[in-house]
Amino acid sequence: MVGVDIGNSTTEASLAKIDADGGAVFLGSALTRTTGIKGTVKNVEGVAKAVVWSLQHAGIGIAELDVVLLNEATPVISGLAMETITETIITESTMIGHDPRTPGGRGLGVGTIVDFAALAEATPGTPLIVVVPADVDFDVVAATINAAAHRGVEVSGAILRNDDAVLVANRLDTKIPIIDEVSLIEAVPRGMTAAVEVAAPGQSIRTLSNAYGLATIFGLDPEQTRVVSPVARALTGNRSAVVVRTPSGDVADRTIPAGALTLIGARKTATVDVSRGAVEVMAEVERVSPLMDVTGQAGTNSGGMIANVRQSMADLSNHTLADVHIQDLLAIDTLVPKEVRGGVAGEVALENAVALAAMVRTKESGMQAVADEVAAQLRGLGAEAVEVVVGGVEAEMAVLGALTTPGTDKPLVVLDLGGGSSDAAVIQTDGRTEATHLAGAGDLVTKLIDAELGLDNLELAEQIKRCPLGKAESFFHVRLENGTVQFFDTPLPATAFARVVTLGDTGMSPIPTRHSLDRIRGVRRTAKERVFVVNALRALRGIAPGGDLRQIGFVVLLGGCALDFEIPQLIADAVAPYGIVCGTGNVRGTEGPRNAVASGLVAAFAASLVAAHA
């Protein structure tokens, strides 16, 4: 027989035979990616592949297969909407929050913006900021600025189109702040007062990232200072920047309507505005718990996400919308980079946002249809006498499988950390089981990393989530994120030099961003804490007697995310104050955190045969 666990992301199979005493003897296992949405007919291809692979690995012909046991896989869809609460809008090139890799010079320069061509005719008396187009060589730029300075003209800063700031700065008689790589150089407004600031290597600007510094430079009154404060906030952390004051320039920090959610509980109903932040959203979810359904405000992103997830489930499961309900919602406060309108070099500002993950379940399962299709496909492959049975409730099977982990005992809690949802189940000393299912898991972490780092590349975000980091400091050594150094006998690839890299099983992969190692690591760990640690504590409180976590003895982590190099430790640290023994499962002492449900299906079926013959 083969027990098969259809999960959100993976399908696992456990092959066993029943011995003369009615006990299950496990012969092998297999793992493949789930095809389609869990609990739908599209799962058949993945189930058949996992069954065939498990037989092949054990050297058993498919004709010998008698029974396939499927879990009661109720369809689950998790959706994500990223709601920006504020947005910085800067028009008419009021700000260039530019941060090139290698600005030149250092210090703060204030003056009137002029074209490079006009510098030769400039006369002393007014400090100038010179704008240099792409067709001027750096030698010419330096010579012209030096000549102007010898005539008594005060050139207090420069803005370059080309990547020449250091080359120009090295040839000047008087050091001035210079920024380069300004792609839209023609958009920089001439004739306006501007301030250029460049910090020393390893430091960030101080004056232009301070609202009162801007007020001092440009002579702003309190109301104008309030209006330009988003400019200063957006420049925080930059090594260089330019701020230009235009008479008609408009800077505003405005609230974007994020939409309201209506939370329908078993006894209470509440409405909460997403723009008020994740803490208030989750407080309302807790207040109306148990959650029965959620609706979103029409015409908003959060409302659209709720409607799309609901409609997708209805289409996949052939249910009406009335039979599709959202049973859990997770809200997370985050920061996402948004492009600044009016910038001239792709400037971005970090804006407050709320990530929403919703989980939908249908009124009933369609697993019998899946079982019928699996039977038909396996018979077509040669398993003439196979019987496909929907073998048991997923939570009960998971705890049966988890109990085969050496060193565990009842009462036991299982945390199944998958791709789409975080599931928890508890088995009491008397054998009673209880389960809860929460929105938000590995896929949500990947999307948070992608959004916060501005990658626009989910594959790269997934790699960052799974792998530790390092920084290639030379062609022969990498400094790891824990501070240790790894040396190599052969030179590293040129593409990795001076880059932050991921250190995966297949080797070293450069991350094509300008974020520091500490920044990437911080985003990765924070995303995992906000999803997995929060959901672990929510789940444990939901199933612990009286919500008291001290009543829980053992917690076993299962699922693909339990194989992560830091998630188990983060959760173990979070539950340690409650005296809970927490660790990654090792199903049957051989399978690690995988195969718990599949093994539980086999064990339950074998026990039912023994009971039937007793």
Side-chain angles (χ1 to χ4, degrees):
M1 72 174 64
V2 178
V4 180
D5 171 24
I6 305 171
N8 291 316
S9 301
T10 59
T11 297
E12 301 171 0
S14 182
L15 173 66
K17 68 175 182 179
I18 304 299
D19 61 19
D21 298 328
V25 179
F26 290 94
L27 304 175
S29 59
L31 171 72
T32 187
R33 184 170 291 278
T34 297
T35 52
I37 299 298
K38 172 181 174 178
T40 65
V41 176
K42 290 185 177 181
N43 299 155
V44 172
E45 181 183 346
V47 172
K49 185 182 293 185
V51 170
V52 171
W53 283 1
S54 67
L55 291 167
Q56 289 176 345
H57 293 165
I60 298 174
I62 193 169
E64 299 180 51
L65 181 62
D66 296 316
V67 179
V68 173
L69 307 166
L70 302 181
N71 59 317
E72 184 66 54
T74 306
V76 174
I77 289 182
S78 287
L80 173 67
M82 198 71 73
E83 287 295 326
T84 304
I85 298 174
T86 60
E87 181 180 13
T88 301
I89 298 175
I90 299 169
T91 61
E92 298 201 18
S93 303
T94 307
M95 180 195 74
I96 306 173
H98 196 34
D99 195 18
R101 292 178 179 83
T102 52
R106 69 176 64 179
L108 174 69
V110 180
T112 302
I113 296 178
V114 297
D115 277 315
F116 176 76
L119 190 58
E121 307 297 329
T123 57
T126 302
L128 303 178
I129 304 289
V130 61
V131 175
V132 183
D135 57 355
V136 183
D137 187 76
F138 61 86
D139 271 329
V140 176
V141 175
T144 305
I145 293 177
N146 282 334
H150 293 158
R151 299 196 313 270
V153 177
E154 183 184 350
V155 179
S156 56
I159 304 171
L160 313 184
R161 170 62 183 87
N162 297 331
D163 184 12
D164 292 341
V166 174
L167 296 174
V168 172
N170 288 343
R171 288 162 172 78
L172 295 181
D173 298 331
T174 302
K175 300 303 180 184
I176 61 173
I178 305 172
I179 67 167
D180 55 9
E181 300 180 67
V182 177
S183 54
L184 298 178
I185 197 76
E186 68 280 357
V188 179
R190 274 58 165 180
M192 302 299 174
T193 302
V196 182
E197 185 175 7
V198 174
Q203 300 184 23
S204 59
I205 57 173
R206 312 236 352 226
T207 304
L208 299 188
S209 61
N210 176 6
Y212 302 119
L214 293 177
T216 302
I217 292 170
F218 296 111
L220 306 180
D221 60 31
E223 187 56 37
Q224 290 172 322
T225 303
R226 185 192 308 276
V227 171
V228 300
S229 62
V231 174
R233 182 165 57 87
L235 296 175
T236 301
N238 280 10
R239 185 187 166 194
S240 62
V242 173
V243 174
V244 183
R245 187 184 185 192
T246 58
S248 57
D250 173 42
V251 181
D253 193 28
R254 66 184 177 88
T255 299
I256 305 298
L261 297 172
T262 300
L263 311 173
I264 303 168
R267 294 174 298 277
K268 302 175 184 176
T269 298
T271 299
V272 59
D273 193 330
V274 175
S275 66
R276 300 178 71 174
V279 174
E280 287 210 28
V281 173
M282 294 311 296
E284 290 299 311
V285 170
E286 185 71 23
R287 192 172 70 83
V288 305
S289 182
L291 191 65
M292 306 300 291
D293 205 358
V294 178
T295 59
Q297 182 180 352
T300 66
N301 281 343
S302 41
M305 186 273 283
I306 297 294
N308 287 338
V309 170
R310 196 189 304 273
Q311 187 64 56
S312 296
M313 177 58 78
D315 294 342
L316 286 166
S317 58
N318 294 319
H319 286 79
T320 64
L321 282 174
D323 291 334
V324 178
H325 305 286
I326 293 175
Q327 77 156 36
D328 188 56
L329 187 76
L330 176 65
I332 298 171
D333 285 322
T334 184
L335 292 171
V336 295
K338 303 291 288 185
E339 187 171 346
V340 175
R341 300 182 190 178
V344 296
E347 299 88 2
V348 296
L350 288 177
E351 300 296 346
N352 297 318
V354 175
L356 295 173
M359 189 169 69
V360 177
R361 281 182 174 263
T362 55
K363 183 178 180 181
E364 59 186 21
S365 168
M367 280 305 298
Q368 191 55 53
V370 177
D372 294 341
E373 288 291 331
V374 170
Q377 185 151 337
L378 290 176
R379 289 181 186 125
L381 294 174
E384 299 292 343
V386 71
E387 180 184 4
V388 181
V389 179
V390 180
V393 178
E394 191 169 353
E396 297 176 2
M397 300 303 104
V399 292
L400 286 178
L403 278 169
T404 64
T405 295
T408 58
D409 196 7
K410 303 174 186 176
L412 174 92
V413 174
V414 168
L415 284 177
D416 189 353
L417 311 174
S421 63
S422 299
D423 304 324
V426 61
I427 184 168
Q428 303 293 353
T429 307
D430 58 7
R432 289 182 296 110
T433 60
E434 183 182 351
T436 184
H437 309 277
L438 303 177
D443 293 344
L444 176 57
V445 172
T446 301
K447 292 175 182 177
L448 284 173
I449 293 171
D450 182 61
E452 290 204 28
L453 295 178
L455 303 175
D456 197 25
N457 185 336
L458 286 176
E459 186 175 341
L460 176 59
E462 179 73 14
Q463 194 173 11
I464 291 171
K465 179 185 78 174
R466 292 178 178 272
C467 304
L469 302 171
K471 178 71 175 291
E473 296 184 337
S474 77
F475 285 113
F476 291 93
H477 84 277
V478 171
R479 186 171 299 278
L480 307 182
E481 65 176 67
N482 63 2
T484 60
V485 175
Q486 181 178 356
F487 292 91
F488 299 87
D489 295 329
T490 57
L492 300 175
T495 54
F497 179 64
R499 291 269 194 168
V500 179
V501 297
T502 57
L503 305 172
D505 295 335
T506 58
M508 187 183 304
S509 299
I511 301 175
T513 74
R514 295 175 59 188
H515 296 293
S516 69
L517 185 150
D518 288 342
R519 164 71 175 157
I520 298 172
R521 180 178 183 270
V523 168
R524 183 194 71 209
R525 288 180 62 87
T526 301
K528 290 177 180 179
E529 289 171 349
R530 289 172 175 171
V531 176
F532 285 112
V533 174
V534 168
N535 266 352
L537 294 175
R538 289 174 68 208
L540 294 177
R541 291 191 182 101
I543 59 179
D548 182 8
L549 270 60
R550 297 186 183 277
Q551 300 299 312
I552 297 174
F554 299 88
V555 171
V556 175
L557 304 180
L558 302 176
C561 291
L563 293 168
D564 186 87
F565 68 99
E566 59 188 351
I567 291 173
Q569 188 61 51
L570 291 173
I571 295 176
D573 290 344
V575 301
Y578 303 98
I580 296 173
V581 178
C582 177
T584 301
N586 189 15
V587 176
R588 308 201 313 268
T590 60
E591 301 298 317
R594 298 283 195 185
N595 220 257
V597 174
S599 298
L601 286 166
V602 171
F605 187 79
S608 68
L609 291 180
V610 172
H613 289 88

